[in-house]
Amino acid sequence: MHEKDLEQLYEPVSSLYGVGPAMAKSLERLAGSRLLDLLFHIPTGVSFRREITSLKEARVGDIVTFKARVMKHQSVAGTRGGGRQPYRVYCCLDENMLSLVFFHGKSTYLKQQLPENQMAVISGKLEMYKGQWQITHPDHVGPLETLREWVGYSPSYPLTQTLTQKALQRILYAVFRKTPVLPEWLGAQTLKWHPQWAGWKDSILRVHTPKTEVDLLPNHPFRERLAYDELLANQIALQLVRAFNRRQGGEAKHAQSDLYERGLKAIPFELTGDQKVVLEEIRSDLAANHCMNRLLQGDVGSGKTIVAFLAALIPLENGFQTAIMAPTEILARQHYQTLRPFAESLGLTIEILTGKDKKSNKTKIYKASAAGEIQIIIGTHALIQEEMTFKNLGFVVIDEQHRFGVDQRLRLSQKGVHVDCLSMTATPIPRTLMLASYGDLDTSQLREKPAGRLPIQTSTVSSARLIEVVEGIKRTVSQGDKVYWVCPLVEESEKIDLAAAKSRYEFMEQHLPGQVGLIHGKLKPKEKEAVMKLFTQGILTVLVATTVIEVGVDVHEATVMVIEHAERFGLAQLHQLRGRVGRGTKQGHCILLYEAESSEASLSRLAIMRQTNDGFDIAEEDWKIRGGGELLGLKQSGLPNFKFVDWHLHQSLLREAVLEAERLVEEDPLLDATPKGRAAQNLLYLFDKEETVRYLKA
Ligand code: ADP
Ligand code: MG
């Protein structure tokens, strides 16, 4: 269990004194609903507040703090004539008069804060009004002992419109008071390596009280410590899950008959070297007496499906059922069509279940699956519905795994006992992120393309040469090929994006009347499907699309991919898009159209696309160039969001955190046997990972 004191940070922001419903709403929008979220909302700038003892030293616009004598309160002099008079408090500072101006000021409160004939500390921005000094809504008024708090550097935070720096800061001070000192969870080794690091509480408070711009840098020791904590929490959670899965045990599944061998023979091509390697990895996972949890990464077209199918043969010959889940109906059907001939030639029963199926059909499948009459079931989310049960589920394949939540994946595998799980993704993930996000999984890669697959030829063309491109497309289409034309999606305005796609569609229609389709996110699934169908059937030859083109969709005759404003895409995303063409035997082409005024940097980025067809290399390059959260394709891939980590600066911290987490979890697998283990529970709690421990203990 975490420290009791820590629970205060989990209270809602509305629990703070002086935070009403409206303020709570703004805070929630800004950072989150808990005090902890505010504590983790860190400043991005600093400003300097100067102490003055006389107004002679001051200029209009200065942000200053000073001691002054409160002379007189002048409350609202009625609302005669409709003009609302502000509440004024006259003060004297070194023989000069200055007034504090409050609109809607409440006199009882202000009289209490600024008693007449007494000295007070005032801080705010100096203004001049009708020749008189004044401060409108001072950032601070209070007794003399508050002077030091209001002199020097103060942080500035990203804000929403309804909040002020002052209000947020006041609230944060209250949060700081509720922030406990926690026992150190970092190991002696780590602390020795980083002698400049302070404890957790000091670090987070210091990040909130920068003295100079330098204090705000992500490689400042205070920030670095917090980044390390974040990485460590994440790694501990991943390793706990991993260790737990290992302990869980599982059923060792060895080849029993010649089914696997017959499966290999049923396939009309030779497996690539990578496919063979991956199958060996999976076979040894299956033979071990713990559950498999493997992520298979491989570009679109690298042959993941057949690997999954062959792998499934081993559980199948051990009498287990296999479920293959895909994120869309189209993909599920495609898998079904591909695999059915193989399955049937091996004497295996195979079925498909999607949300679209008729009720009677669904019921039939539920029954057959529960009775163990279906050996391989392919489907969409429909597979995780309650009604769907298995007699003996032993192997689960999750295609495009990032399109599913963790809970959805679990729900499927929990329909059996000791289920081995193979997840697959076509999103190449940079090594660093792999380690940071999927440390609980074993990973395999398919880098080698199936033989006979021609690498896609990529060219970069200035949009000034649009007409030449269109002429080229007309020639392509006349040879029976098909073309995708992608217009970028700029998140801020879907409307504008759509307008761009629509006008490109109209433009293409003029050149190829009756042959052009338009597909975008605003279409209903039915409409999308209808357009896709016309495209597959060859009635449409050009498909203009925003980036919604279904993941993994296979249209073999599609040979050309045009991407407009290619400079706006991440490389990983361009690579994904270009993987949609050249999936048959014909040469695929990708034309990256860029704006003539694109920067040198973005052009050299696009050049990488010409140079390599390897998704993993591209992901690494993209990562190097753009780093972190900006990786477009990854944003949607469900990878966790890190608050303190800067991926360019903190790579070596990640490696340290992996080792430290390994050490800790090995020594104290439930984090309750050693002081460090117990301290680490606080760390997990802070980063919302405590659930993991609770789940593992249950
Ligand atoms: P992915 O799921 O990785 O996108 P698929 O498994 O759908 O790729 O494979 C794409 C195509 O390549 C399929 O038509 C498949 O039959 C074929 N394929 C797979 N492996 C090989 C191979 N070793 N040699 C030739 N073709 C292959
Ligand atoms: Mg696939």
Side-chain angles (χ1 to χ4, degrees), residues 345-403:
S345 76
L346 296 171
L348 298 166
T349 48
I350 183 167
E351 274 297 343
I352 178 164
L353 177 75
T354 75
K356 291 245 180 73
D357 291 341
K358 283 207 195 74
K359 191 127 189 265
S360 59
N361 199 39
K362 276 188 195 160
T363 319
K364 219 169 73 199
I365 288 181
Y366 294 151
K367 255 173 104 176
S369 174
E373 286 154 16
I374 301 174
Q375 288 169 287
I376 304 173
I377 179 98
I378 297 178
T380 56
H381 297 78
L383 291 179
I384 56 179
Q385 302 310 313
E386 222 163 288
E387 299 90 329
M388 181 65 192
T389 57
F390 296 84
K391 181 166 183 235
N392 194 8
L393 180 65
F395 192 64
V396 154
V397 179
I398 314 272
D399 194 20
E400 306 296 343
Q401 64 92 30
H402 60 275
R403 302 268 303 260

Side-chain angles (χ1 to χ4, degrees), residues 262-456:
R262 284 195 290 134
L264 280 179
K265 289 204 190 93
I267 288 165
F269 43 72
E270 174 77 12
L271 292 179
T272 65
D274 279 357
Q275 283 174 319
K276 286 179 191 160
V277 170
V278 171
L279 274 168
E280 275 320 304
E281 288 170 338
I282 295 174
R283 275 162 58 116
S284 89
D285 281 348
L286 291 172
N289 49 8
H290 56 75
C291 287
M292 173 169 88
N293 260 305
R294 188 169 283 280
L295 177 65
L296 173 57
Q297 289 182 285
D299 272 353
V300 173
S302 61
K304 298 186 289 294
T305 311
I306 219 66
V307 166
F309 176 75
L310 288 171
L313 295 179
I314 292 165
L316 284 164
E317 55 180 307
N318 280 271
F320 292 99
Q321 291 166 289
T322 289
I324 302 176
M325 185 160 71
T328 65
E329 162 111 21
I330 300 180
L331 270 177
R333 292 216 174 277
Q334 210 156 53
H335 285 326
Y336 181 65
Q337 270 150 23
T338 313
L339 297 182
R340 196 170 81 164
F342 294 131
E344 288 179 346
S345 76
L346 296 171
L348 298 166
T349 48
I350 183 167
E351 274 297 343
I352 178 164
L353 177 75
T354 75
K356 291 245 180 73
D357 291 341
K358 283 207 195 74
K359 191 127 189 265
S360 59
N361 199 39
K362 276 188 195 160
T363 319
K364 219 169 73 199
I365 288 181
Y366 294 151
K367 255 173 104 176
S369 174
E373 286 154 16
I374 301 174
Q375 288 169 287
I376 304 173
I377 179 98
I378 297 178
T380 56
H381 297 78
L383 291 179
I384 56 179
Q385 302 310 313
E386 222 163 288
E387 299 90 329
M388 181 65 192
T389 57
F390 296 84
K391 181 166 183 235
N392 194 8
L393 180 65
F395 192 64
V396 154
V397 179
I398 314 272
D399 194 20
E400 306 296 343
Q401 64 92 30
H402 60 275
R403 302 268 303 260
F404 294 97
V406 183
D407 53 317
Q408 292 176 316
R409 284 179 252 159
L410 276 176
R411 258 163 66 192
L412 182 56
S413 56
Q414 277 166 0
K415 288 182 187 281
V417 191
H418 298 320
V419 173
D420 288 293
C421 187
L422 178 68
S423 303
M424 310 200 289
T425 180
T427 310
I429 302 167
R431 279 188 301 275
T432 313
L433 268 192
M434 241 1 247
L435 197 55
S437 313
Y438 295 122
D440 59 329
L441 301 178
D442 295 306
T443 58
S444 297
Q445 296 183 339
L446 292 178
R447 295 183 76 136
E448 193 182 343
K449 299 280 161 353
R453 186 80 37 82
L454 297 163
I456 298 162

Side-chain angles (χ1 to χ4, degrees), residues 24 58 74 92-93 122 151 171 204 207 216 231 257 274 379 464 479 488 633 649 659 669:
Q74 191 181 70
C92 186
L93 167 59
I122 294 153
V151 174
I171 289 162
I204 187 80
V207 163
L216 293 168
L231 291 166
S257 60
D274 279 357
Q479 286 158 18
L649 293 168
L659 293 177

